[in-house]
Amino acid sequence: QVQLVESGGGLVQAGGSLRLSCAASGDIICISAMGWYRQAPGKERELVAAITSGGSTNYANSVKGRFTISRDNGKNTLYLQMNSLKPEDTAVYYCNVDTKSWCLGGRGYWGKGTLVTVSS
């Protein structure tokens, strides 16, 4: 099992910045890719950014150039630096990890989410 706890959400004005963190615990040796998703009211959950165990990254077009995903494997923590925030970035942000197929059957795990609100 993998447990994920997000932090760093809050209220910020448009143009501001926030840094989200996701602390992983449990069977962390099983973790492969990690990512951030978000879900705005009335919308489906969407991928924001992802990072592989090797450090390759992938971003949604809507956040490219503004958000940066990173991971500190020594601290078992995933980060999302969000700059130039827009009201449309308002959502609950969820941390997600994939696991290695030989370890936890490749299943994914989710955190409970942290709310980001961007005021105009």
Side-chain angles (χ1 to χ4, degrees):
Q1 302 289 325
V2 176
Q3 295 78 42
L4 303 170
V5 178
E6 302 99 334
S7 61
L11 174 64
V12 63
Q13 289 189 333
S17 298
L18 283 174
R19 188 175 83 153
L20 305 184
S21 299
C22 171
S25 60
D27 295 320
I28 55 175
I29 193 173
C30 299
I31 294 174
S32 56
M34 306 179 77
W36 289 98
Y37 287 72
R38 68 185 180 187
Q39 187 166 19
K43 294 188 177 182
E44 294 187 354
R45 192 172 297 189
E46 62 175 359
L47 175 68
V48 176
I51 184 167
T52 67
S53 56
S56 297
T57 58
N58 180 46
Y59 295 91
N61 287 334
S62 59
V63 307
K64 281 182 181 177
R66 299 189 298 122
F67 291 11
T68 302
I69 189 171
S70 61
R71 61 194 286 179
D72 185 333
N73 292 327
K75 294 182 178 180
N76 304 318
T77 302
L78 178 71
Y79 302 99
L80 185 69
Q81 178 67 44
M82 305 186 294
N83 299 328
S84 303
L85 282 160
K86 304 175 181 180
E88 51 263 44
D89 294 318
T90 295
V92 178
Y93 284 71
Y94 297 91
C95 178
N96 170 267
V97 301
D98 291 329
T99 58
K100 300 167 185 174
S101 59
W102 55 264
C103 193
L104 285 174
R107 63 169 292 184
Y109 290 85
W110 293 92
K112 293 184 177 181
T114 185
L115 177 63
V116 172
T117 303
V118 185
S119 63
S120 57

